[in-house]
Amino acid sequence: MHITQLNRECLLHLFSFLDKNSRKSLAETCHKLLEVFQDPILWSSLNFSSPVELKKRNFLLGPALKYLSICWYSERVKVCNIEDWMKNNFQKDFCNRHENTVTDFLLEVGNRCPNLLSLTLSGCGHVTDDCLLLLLRNCPSLKTLKLENCVRITDRTLEAVTLYGGSLQTLHVDFCRNITQPGLERVREKCPSVVLRAERSANMIPDSKPEKKFLLEKSSRKLVQL
C-alpha cells in the first residue's frame, strides 16, 4: 500500500511523530500530504530552539495552538541580554538583525491563537511588555507563563497579569533583571492562587546608565541633608 492510500486519520497520526522540518519535506511530495500538513489539528504544540526557526515556513499558526515554547540557549543569547548602553557596535549590529523576530512572531500568536494555554520564553532578550500584554489580553485561557532571561520584561508585565491573567495558574519570571520586588508582591496580593516563581529576578541590578544611578544617589543625599 502506498502512503497516500491511507485515510486522513492515519496520515495525521503518522505526521504527529515527525518534527517540523520532516513534516514540511513530506508535505512537498504531493497535494494530499500537503493538505494533511495544513490541518490545524496537527499544530496544537510548537517548540522552537532559536529565533531563526520562526522565519521558516514549516509550521502552521491558528486557533488549535495550545502550547508554545521558544527557548534560545545559544551563547549568542548573552549578547542580546547585555544592557543596550553597554553594547559595542558589533553587538548592536548582531542584535539589530533579529531584534523584532520573536516579538513579531508573538504578535501573530496573540492575534491568531486565542486558545493558547501555555507559553514558555527563554533567552528572548528583545521581547517587550507590550507584546506580553497583548498575549495576556487576547489569550484569556492562558494557564502557564514561564519567562527566563527575558531582560526587557518589567513590572508592566506583572501588572498585565493582574488585569488579564484570570486563568493563569503558573507564572515564572526567572532571571528577568528588570522585575522588582514590589511588582512581585502586587501579583501575590492580586492573584493569590497563581504559583509565582522569580528566581534571581528582584535581586538583580536593573538596567540604567551609571550616570543615572549617580544622579539618583546624589538627589537622595540632598533630600537626606534637607
Side-chain angles (χ1 to χ4, degrees):
M1 177 183 286
H2 193 273
I3 186 173
T4 55
Q5 294 178 286
L6 296 172
N7 62 34
R8 193 177 187 85
E9 184 178 353
C10 289
L11 289 174
L12 283 169
H13 185 65
L14 288 174
F15 265 78
S16 68
F17 290 98
L18 303 177
D19 59 29
K20 296 186 294 295
N21 290 332
S22 299
R23 290 178 183 180
K24 181 63 175 176
S25 297
L26 186 58
E28 291 174 344
T29 59
C30 72
H31 289 294
K32 183 173 183 178
L33 295 180
L34 178 60
E35 290 178 1
V36 176
F37 173 85
Q38 294 172 337
D39 194 318
I41 296 176
L42 197 61
W43 303 102
S44 62
S45 177
L46 283 172
N47 299 292
F48 300 94
S49 59
S50 79
V52 176
E53 291 187 5
L54 304 179
K55 297 181 179 181
K56 294 182 179 180
R57 296 183 178 181
N58 59 354
F59 59 89
L60 190 71
L61 278 184
L65 182 63
K66 294 183 178 180
Y67 306 95
L68 173 62
S69 172
I70 306 174
C71 297
W72 194 21
Y73 298 118
S74 165
E75 284 295 317
R76 291 174 292 178
V77 169
K78 296 179 181 179
V79 176
C80 297
N81 289 336
I82 297 173
E83 293 91 332
D84 289 339
W85 56 272
M86 289 183 63
K87 292 175 183 173
N88 58 39
N89 290 333
F90 173 79
Q91 292 168 330
K92 288 179 181 178
D93 179 64
F94 171 77
C95 288
N96 287 338
R97 295 177 200 169
H98 61 263
E99 181 171 6
N100 298 317
T101 302
V102 178
T103 297
D104 290 346
F105 177 78
L106 290 176
L107 290 177
E108 279 196 67
V109 172
N111 290 322
R112 298 167 60 182
C113 310
N115 300 314
L116 191 67
L117 296 177
S118 175
L119 173 63
T120 299
L121 301 175
S122 180
C124 300
H126 299 297
V127 173
T128 64
D129 293 315
D130 290 336
C131 183
L132 289 177
L133 188 150
L134 175 70
L135 275 165
L136 285 163
R137 190 167 53 197
N138 291 3
C139 304
S141 300
L142 192 67
K143 297 181 182 299
T144 301
L145 178 59
K146 296 182 179 180
L147 307 174
E148 180 185 57
N149 222 357
C150 297
V151 296
R152 293 193 181 184
I153 298 305
T154 72
D155 288 354
R156 287 186 59 212
T157 290
L158 299 183
E159 181 65 22
V161 166
T162 66
L163 294 174
Y164 306 111
S167 300
L168 207 63
Q169 298 175 354
T170 301
L171 174 63
H172 293 178
V173 283
D174 299 332
F175 295 88
C176 298
R177 64 172 174 261
N178 288 299
I179 293 292
T180 70
Q181 195 62 46
L184 295 172
E185 291 301 329
R186 182 168 176 80
V187 173
R188 291 190 178 98
E189 177 187 350
K190 296 291 184 179
C191 310
S193 62
V194 173
V195 178
L196 177 61
R197 191 180 80 183
E199 184 179 347
R200 298 289 298 278
S201 288
N203 296 324
M204 299 177 77
I205 300 174
D207 294 345
S208 59
K209 292 186 178 181
E211 56 265 29
K212 289 184 179 180
K213 295 178 184 178
F214 176 76
L215 289 173
L216 287 172
E217 291 174 358
K218 189 175 180 181
S219 300
S220 299
R221 286 197 296 269
K222 284 186 177 179
L223 287 174
V224 171
Q225 291 174 356
L226 292 174

